[in-house]
Amino acid sequence: MSNNTDSIEQGVEDAQRAALKLATLSEAQRNEALHAIADAIDSHHEAILKENKKDVRHGEELLAKGEYSQALVDRLKLSESKLESISEMVRSVAQQEDPLEKTLTARHLDHGLDLYKVAVPIGVVGTVFESRPDALVQIAALSLKSGNSVILKGGSEAKHSNRVLYRLIIEATSDIPAGWAQHIEAREEVTALLAMDEKIDLLMPRGSSEFVQYIQDNTSIPVLGHTEGVCHVFVDKKADLQMASDVAFDAKVQYPAVCNAVETLLVHESVADAYLPDIVSRYEEAGVEVRGDEKTQSYVEVEDATEKDWATEYGDRIISVRVIDSLVDAIDHITTYSSKHTESIITEDSDRAEQFMRNLDSASVFHNASTRFSDGYRFGLGAEVGISTGKIHARGPVGLEGLTTYKYHLEGDGHIVASYAGEDAIPFQHEEFDGTWPPTADK
Amino acid sequence: MSNNTDSIEQGVEDAQRAALKLATLSEAQRNEALHAIADAIDSHHEAILKENKKDVRHGEELLAKGEYSQALVDRLKLSESKLESISEMVRSVAQQEDPLEKTLTARHLDHGLDLYKVAVPIGVVGTVFESRPDALVQIAALSLKSGNSVILKGGSEAKHSNRVLYRLIIEATSDIPAGWAQHIEAREEVTALLAMDEKIDLLMPRGSSEFVQYIQDNTSIPVLGHTEGVCHVFVDKKADLQMASDVAFDAKVQYPAVCNAVETLLVHESVADAYLPDIVSRYEEAGVEVRGDEKTQSYVEVEDATEKDWATEYGDRIISVRVIDSLVDAIDHITTYSSKHTESIITEDSDRAEQFMRNLDSASVFHNASTRFSDGYRFGLGAEVGISTGKIHARGPVGLEGLTTYKYHLEGDGHIVASYAGEDAIPFQHEEFDGTWPPTADK
């Protein structure tokens, strides 16, 4: 797609037309196309790595000027083994259970009148994601598996890698309705998408909460936002303290840069004395800066935590600690400051765990487990298109199911509503049964 | 709630606080409150009818000035028997299966690490609906059953009726967390709601597509829109023509004012000669004005149908007719002009029915049945809060399930992600099992 609004509109219209055809492809046709993408990546390592080098070189120039971090350069970089894992991921998407061609419920309304709720693709999905070249392939693969057309907007730092990967995907899927995947590059093109509410069914932006908020404020297209995670671990008075130490350590240190890492550790006052010195020294040995409230500072020597800390996603080796008086106060703190992503309670008391889990309004609430489990792969959803911090349509890690919606199929035999209205109305039966659409008896 | 923005904000904050508590109420507590509402309506007929008379009198004044229709006055009017059916409806909502306290899936991730996807309320739902006083009670009942706080904005023509019904509902639900239902009256108050994206989780406006579009364009809160229905019946070349006549008649005449009534009848050319004279005379006898394209006019004498007719929801005793050459042309016509609400094919050929149903992107697609079946009650969903013409979250008739979302509950035993990463990573098991949360073994 070239860089002007007319051609973007044309591309999105092509995607819309393709979506209607995609919805009618069989699982075998979609899986064959996914294998073709994996094969194309396998047989073009040289071409991909050549283009990727351009992005990496540009990233290193920015790094030298202090405009980029080493971590970001590392994320940009592809390698033979990285490419192998990408094609492997595409094949694993093909192997996943088909989210389509599924009857979700079947209900007899009356004799000869059967209603089927059938899983179908959403249509055209617009995605905006960060500068990892594997993100483009993953999102395209999930969209194809779920029968959706997709608009792909990656980070500009990965533009050469994205271009070659997109070209290979299109070439490999020549049997799929043309136009199903569209690649856009400029911010202005994203702005053009926002006005296309008649043509795009869902936007899935990944990024900062400011960015996602900007998208939400400037479109009437439904948005499935993937924003930041201000996640909590609460060490209850009934906690196994060794477990609490291991989980809190893992939740911060295992991968501090991601949205499901813990940012604030809440500690029940009655275990603060026994717990805090140990966890703080483990954190400090691992290079984690600990900031604490006044009460925390009465147990351990750490920097001040301020109001701002409670609402911050550090995404780094920093953690804030607060000592609280009760389970209710822990729930209150999390309700006030959480981004509703993932919270975990460490306790041996299942009633207190239940109270914590029932009262919190976060997508994922854990008992005796690290917040880092909050992830589509670990949850068994296969790959994920993002982690939704909204509550509508899909919540938490979003896999193939989140890329589907449903249609109602009603099979009748000339049934009219007049028979079910008025004085002599026939009563409905409304009984669920084990049936799938299309009904075979009909054939 | 009084008429200024501060107090609306206060009311919505109260609703938000109440929502957290509502989510933890048992089914018995919610059902008890529903029965209390039904009892309150039963024992206050006189007070309700007195207030309703004010609205009806005002409606009749508007009717006399030509600013209102008799049908609208009739819809406003309550009676003893209407009130009985309203309290009956509230009791039937109480009887419905609980949409909460349900484990949607349970999955072993690994030994001692189990993930539960649990149905929960959405939180705070903002609703805008038309001038039927029963709508306020129905929406409040569905919200309470599904554990949601609700902001109610009814039509101003029903304001006296709405006020007394709202007051009775609040008085009857004094055991429910205060603030769970809020009543607003002015348009400006709706505008104030649109900015409260941190406090309101979902907006459900019912009304014209212009009104719903206005809402969507002016808020970043997710919107579940209930707009118009431009529904189609396609009489295929393989149709049973008597059935086609009965269904097309029912779909228009049984209740022409509603969104699931047919607006355009598509007729396959090969049956046009045998079919059109009969259906047109049946329509005309029932007072339906028929408008046809050029081909239609070569079979029957009717008014011209123009391009504008194809995209119009008449909501009245008018129908447009088009003769088309093929199943593919029928699909194309519907794809171009439909509001994606409900379409029906009349055919004895199940393969052609399947092609029609697979290729159309409408919420409901029917085979040999009247479009008028597209309704929450007839579909067996219980009462409905609306019929969604969007594709995200809920589609078609929306009942209690559409008022829920889900949370992930993970039960572990000190599990950390480090064990599942790197060289010696433990593989996940990812096996679904028949379990419910909270796990009883834990107790």
Side-chain angles (χ1 to χ4, degrees):
Chain A
M1 220 186 274
S2 84
N3 290 359
N4 69 66
T5 307
D6 280 358
S7 70
I8 294 165
E9 184 129 19
Q10 185 59 55
V12 174
E13 278 169 15
D14 291 349
Q16 198 181 16
R17 258 189 304 277
L20 289 170
K21 293 181 198 153
L22 265 177
T24 67
L25 296 187
S26 68
E27 183 185 9
Q29 287 171 303
R30 286 175 276 124
N31 286 345
E32 209 173 290
L34 286 166
H35 282 287
I37 291 172
D39 294 345
I41 291 169
D42 283 346
S43 56
H44 291 84
H45 279 200
E46 202 181 328
I48 300 167
L49 293 176
K50 190 179 149 205
E51 293 303 309
N52 180 248
K53 269 208 188 100
K54 295 181 191 170
D55 292 330
V56 173
R57 207 174 304 132
H58 180 65
E60 283 166 345
E61 284 167 21
L62 292 174
L63 175 65
K65 287 194 239 167
E67 292 169 8
Y68 217 57
S69 74
Q70 184 62 49
L72 288 172
V73 173
D74 292 346
R75 277 173 73 165
L76 264 182
K77 201 177 286 179
L78 292 174
S79 63
E80 295 282 346
S81 70
K82 193 77 204 274
L83 286 175
E84 276 161 27
S85 76
I86 291 175
S87 59
E88 204 39 62
M89 176 272 294
V90 175
R91 288 191 184 96
S92 83
V93 170
Q95 272 161 31
Q96 278 181 57
E97 197 197 342
D98 191 14
L100 308 178
E101 300 188 23
K102 253 185 178 171
T103 300
L104 305 172
T105 52
R107 187 179 294 127
H108 283 302
L109 303 192
D110 191 16
H111 185 71
L113 187 66
D114 292 328
L115 181 70
Y116 302 85
K117 187 175 173 181
V118 180
V120 296
I122 289 174
V124 179
V125 178
T127 63
V128 186
F129 46 91
E130 65 281 19
S131 301
R132 280 186 302 118
D134 49 328
L136 182 139
V137 183
Q138 180 165 4
I139 291 170
L142 289 165
S143 300
L144 179 52
K145 176 79 183 188
S146 56
N148 289 287
S149 285
V150 63
I151 321 290
L152 302 153
K153 162 72 174 76
S156 59
E157 296 80 3
K159 74 177 171 195
H160 294 98
S161 314
N162 283 338
R163 278 179 199 167
V164 65
L165 289 166
Y166 174 70
R167 185 172 56 74
L168 288 172
I169 288 170
I170 293 300
E171 285 170 7
T173 56
S174 56
D175 289 344
I176 296 294
W180 77 274
Q182 302 283 336
H183 182 217
I184 66 175
E185 297 196 345
R187 271 273 180 147
E188 308 82 71
E189 294 175 305
V190 174
T191 308
L193 294 184
L194 301 184
M196 299 184 193
D197 57 315
E198 296 285 323
K199 302 186 178 79
I200 299 176
D201 297 296
L202 181 66
L203 288 175
M204 303 184 79
R206 308 209 290 213
S208 68
S209 52
E210 291 76 27
F211 172 66
V212 172
Q213 188 65 49
Y214 168 81
I215 298 278
Q216 284 170 330
D217 287 346
N218 289 282
T219 189
S220 60
I221 302 170
V223 177
L224 208 60
H226 173 143
T227 66
E228 59 205 10
V230 179
C231 302
H232 298 77
V233 170
F234 169 50
V235 180
D236 184 39
K237 66 177 178 185
K238 298 286 187 68
D240 171 331
L241 295 186
Q242 183 57 48
M243 182 193 289
S245 175
D246 292 344
V247 168
F249 186 80
D250 182 86
K252 182 79 242 180
V253 177
Q254 204 265 337
Y255 196 172
V258 288
C259 60
N260 57 18
V262 65
E263 307 297 355
T264 298
L265 181 64
L266 300 172
V267 180
H268 197 288
E269 190 158 28
S270 65
V271 295
D273 197 22
Y275 180 69
L276 280 173
D278 164 69
I279 186 67
V280 169
S281 81
R282 279 187 78 180
Y283 276 148
E284 286 175 348
E285 272 166 41
V288 175
E289 177 190 334
V290 180
R291 302 176 186 174
D293 73 331
E294 213 169 300
K295 273 195 188 163
T296 302
Q297 294 184 19
S298 69
Y299 299 101
V300 284
E301 202 174 308
V302 296
E303 294 295 307
D304 271 357
T306 64
E307 182 75 13
K308 195 180 158 218
D309 283 286
W310 309 134
T312 299
E313 180 183 43
Y314 303 114
D316 205 345
R317 291 178 182 265
I318 308 173
I319 193 162
S320 56
V321 181
R322 185 171 190 176
V323 172
I324 47 90
D325 291 341
S326 66
L327 177 55
V328 168
D329 284 352
I331 291 167
D332 277 353
H333 177 101
I334 296 171
T335 299
T336 308
Y337 297 105
S338 164
S339 65
K340 302 190 176 183
H341 188 301
T342 303
E343 334 295 347
S344 183
I345 181 172
I346 313 301
T347 187
E348 296 299 294
D349 182 326
S350 61
D351 288 337
R352 290 172 67 84
E354 191 177 324
Q355 194 184 337
F356 180 89
M357 293 162 97
R358 278 199 195 277
N359 280 279
L360 285 176
D361 183 29
S362 299
S364 299
V365 280
F366 295 177
H367 175 202
N368 290 345
S370 169
T371 54
R372 292 272 298 113
F373 281 103
S374 197
D375 162 286
Y377 165 67
R378 294 184 194 113
F379 272 13
L381 309 177
E384 72 186 23
V385 282
I387 296 182
S388 166
T389 43
K391 294 164 84 173
I392 302 304
H393 187 71
R395 201 172 186 198
V398 181
L400 289 169
E401 201 181 299
L403 288 169
T404 66
T405 180
Y406 55 82
K407 254 161 88 177
Y408 283 108
H409 289 185
L410 181 65
E411 296 280 349
D413 191 27
H415 291 71
I416 60 175
V417 162
S419 321
Y420 301 86
E423 293 285 301
D424 299 316
I426 305 171
F428 283 105
Q429 296 178 10
H430 288 158
E431 275 164 25
E432 298 204 0
F433 68 102
D434 269 340
T436 56
W437 189 90
T440 45
D442 224 36
K443 293 262 174 175
Chain B
M1 221 189 273
S2 84
N3 288 0
N4 69 66
T5 306
D6 279 356
S7 71
I8 294 165
E9 184 129 17
Q10 185 58 53
V12 174
E13 277 168 17
D14 291 348
Q16 197 181 16
R17 256 187 306 275
L20 289 170
K21 294 181 200 153
L22 265 177
T24 67
L25 295 187
S26 69
E27 182 184 11
Q29 287 171 301
R30 286 175 276 122
N31 286 345
E32 209 172 292
L34 286 165
H35 283 286
I37 291 172
D39 294 346
I41 291 169
D42 283 347
S43 56
H44 290 85
H45 279 200
E46 202 180 327
I48 299 168
L49 293 175
K50 187 179 151 209
E51 294 303 310
N52 180 248
K53 267 205 190 102
K54 296 181 190 169
D55 291 331
V56 173
R57 207 175 304 132
H58 180 65
E60 282 166 346
E61 284 166 22
L62 292 174
L63 176 64
K65 289 193 234 165
E67 292 168 9
Y68 216 55
S69 74
Q70 184 62 48
L72 287 172
V73 173
D74 292 346
R75 276 173 72 166
L76 264 181
K77 201 175 288 179
L78 291 174
S79 62
E80 296 282 345
S81 70
K82 194 75 205 278
L83 285 175
E84 276 162 27
S85 77
I86 291 176
S87 59
E88 205 39 61
M89 175 272 294
V90 175
R91 289 192 184 95
S92 83
V93 170
Q95 271 161 32
Q96 278 181 57
E97 195 197 343
D98 189 14
L100 307 178
E101 301 186 22
K102 253 186 179 172
T103 300
L104 305 172
T105 53
R107 187 180 292 127
H108 282 302
L109 304 192
D110 191 16
H111 184 71
L113 188 66
D114 292 329
L115 182 71
Y116 302 84
K117 186 176 173 180
V118 180
V120 297
I122 289 173
V124 180
V125 178
T127 63
V128 186
F129 46 91
E130 65 279 20
S131 301
R132 280 187 301 118
D134 49 329
L136 183 138
V137 183
Q138 180 165 7
I139 290 171
L142 289 165
S143 300
L144 179 53
K145 175 79 182 187
S146 56
N148 290 286
S149 285
V150 64
I151 321 291
L152 302 153
K153 162 73 175 76
S156 59
E157 295 80 2
K159 73 178 171 193
H160 294 98
S161 315
N162 283 338
R163 278 180 199 164
V164 65
L165 289 166
Y166 174 70
R167 185 172 57 76
L168 288 171
I169 288 171
I170 293 300
E171 285 170 7
T173 56
S174 55
D175 289 344
I176 296 295
W180 77 275
Q182 301 284 336
H183 183 217
I184 65 176
E185 297 196 344
R187 271 273 179 150
E188 308 82 71
E189 293 174 304
V190 175
T191 308
L193 293 184
L194 301 183
M196 300 185 194
D197 57 317
E198 297 285 326
K199 302 187 178 79
I200 299 175
D201 296 296
L202 181 66
L203 289 174
M204 303 185 79
R206 306 207 293 212
S208 69
S209 52
E210 291 75 25
F211 172 65
V212 172
Q213 187 67 48
Y214 168 80
I215 298 280
Q216 284 170 330
D217 288 347
N218 289 283
T219 188
S220 60
I221 302 171
V223 177
L224 209 60
H226 173 142
T227 67
E228 60 206 7
V230 179
C231 301
H232 298 77
V233 170
F234 170 49
V235 179
D236 184 39
K237 66 177 177 185
K238 299 284 186 67
D240 172 330
L241 295 186
Q242 183 57 48
M243 181 192 292
S245 175
D246 292 343
V247 168
F249 186 81
D250 182 84
K252 182 79 243 180
V253 178
Q254 203 267 336
Y255 196 173
V258 287
C259 60
N260 57 17
V262 66
E263 307 296 353
T264 298
L265 181 64
L266 300 172
V267 180
H268 197 288
E269 188 157 31
S270 65
V271 296
D273 197 20
Y275 179 69
L276 281 173
D278 165 66
I279 186 68
V280 168
S281 80
R282 279 187 77 180
Y283 276 148
E284 287 174 348
E285 274 166 39
V288 175
E289 176 190 334
V290 181
R291 302 176 186 174
D293 73 331
E294 211 169 300
K295 273 194 188 165
T296 301
Q297 295 185 17
S298 70
Y299 299 101
V300 283
E301 203 173 308
V302 296
E303 294 296 306
D304 272 355
T306 65
E307 183 74 14
K308 195 179 157 219
D309 283 286
W310 309 136
T312 298
E313 179 182 42
Y314 302 115
D316 205 346
R317 291 178 182 265
I318 309 174
I319 194 163
S320 56
V321 181
R322 185 173 190 175
V323 172
I324 47 90
D325 292 341
S326 66
L327 176 56
V328 168
D329 284 353
I331 292 168
D332 277 354
H333 177 99
I334 296 171
T335 299
T336 306
Y337 297 105
S338 164
S339 64
K340 302 191 176 182
H341 189 300
T342 302
E343 334 293 346
S344 182
I345 182 172
I346 312 300
T347 187
E348 296 298 293
D349 182 326
S350 61
D351 287 337
R352 289 171 69 83
E354 190 177 324
Q355 193 183 339
F356 180 88
M357 292 160 96
R358 276 197 197 280
N359 279 278
L360 284 177
D361 183 29
S362 298
S364 299
V365 281
F366 294 177
H367 175 203
N368 290 345
S370 169
T371 54
R372 291 272 299 115
F373 281 103
S374 199
D375 163 285
Y377 165 67
R378 294 182 194 116
F379 272 13
L381 308 178
E384 71 186 23
V385 281
I387 296 182
S388 165
T389 43
K391 295 164 83 174
I392 301 305
H393 187 72
R395 203 174 184 195
V398 181
L400 289 169
E401 200 182 300
L403 287 170
T404 66
T405 180
Y406 55 82
K407 256 162 86 177
Y408 283 108
H409 288 184
L410 181 65
E411 294 280 350
D413 190 26
H415 290 71
I416 59 174
V417 161
S419 319
Y420 301 85
E423 291 285 302
D424 300 317
I426 304 170
F428 283 105
Q429 295 178 11
H430 288 158
E431 275 165 23
E432 298 202 1
F433 68 103
D434 270 340
T436 56
W437 189 90
T440 44
D442 224 36
K443 293 258 175 180

